[in-house]
Amino acid sequence: MAWLLVVVAGLLETGFAVCLKLSHGFTRLWPTLAFAAFALSSFGLLTMALKKLDVGPAYAVWTGIGAAGTAIYGMVFLGDVVSTLKLVSISLVIIGVIGLQLSGSAH
């Protein structure tokens, strides 16, 4: 259950990163409010998960999901440049996240 919280928190991290861009420096109301909601939810779930998980693997998985998700969202919906190197790098992040989750503690 704790790992599920980390995964959901990582997806919410993607949401707050995208909303941060869309807020244009907190000058747009709705993206700014969405950023705050996603950020608080993400940090809250991560905090709950850290009660049962080691901080290193949990934090790495959380940031990995957020980084990969944000990069993918940017390429698909925001017109960010797509390159082979980006796709390979995102794949490596995902592989690393899976490896960390598999090697995490058995709490």
Side-chain angles (χ1 to χ4, degrees), residues 43-62:
F43 287 122
L45 291 177
L46 180 62
T47 300
M48 290 170 52
L50 288 176
K51 291 179 181 178
K52 297 192 178 209
L53 300 174
D54 292 338
V55 68
Y59 183 77
V61 169
W62 177 70

Side-chain angles (χ1 to χ4, degrees), residues 9 19 29 35-36 38-39 42 61 102:
C19 289
L29 179 62
F35 160 79
F38 281 124
S42 180
V61 169
L102 293 175

Side-chain angles (χ1 to χ4, degrees), residues 13 23 25 29 31 33 38-39 44-45 49 53 60 71 75-76 78 96 100 107:
E13 183 189 2
S23 76
L29 179 62
L33 293 175
F38 281 124
L45 291 177
L53 300 174
M75 288 186 287
V76 173
L78 301 177
L100 282 168
H107 291 257

Side-chain angles (χ1 to χ4, degrees), residues 44-91:
L45 291 177
L46 180 62
T47 300
M48 290 170 52
L50 288 176
K51 291 179 181 178
K52 297 192 178 209
L53 300 174
D54 292 338
V55 68
Y59 183 77
V61 169
W62 177 70
T63 58
I65 292 170
T70 302
I72 292 167
Y73 187 94
M75 288 186 287
V76 173
F77 297 107
L78 301 177
D80 290 356
V81 175
V82 179
S83 70
T84 302
L85 182 57
K86 271 190 183 179
L87 296 175
V88 168
S89 298
I90 290 168
S91 298

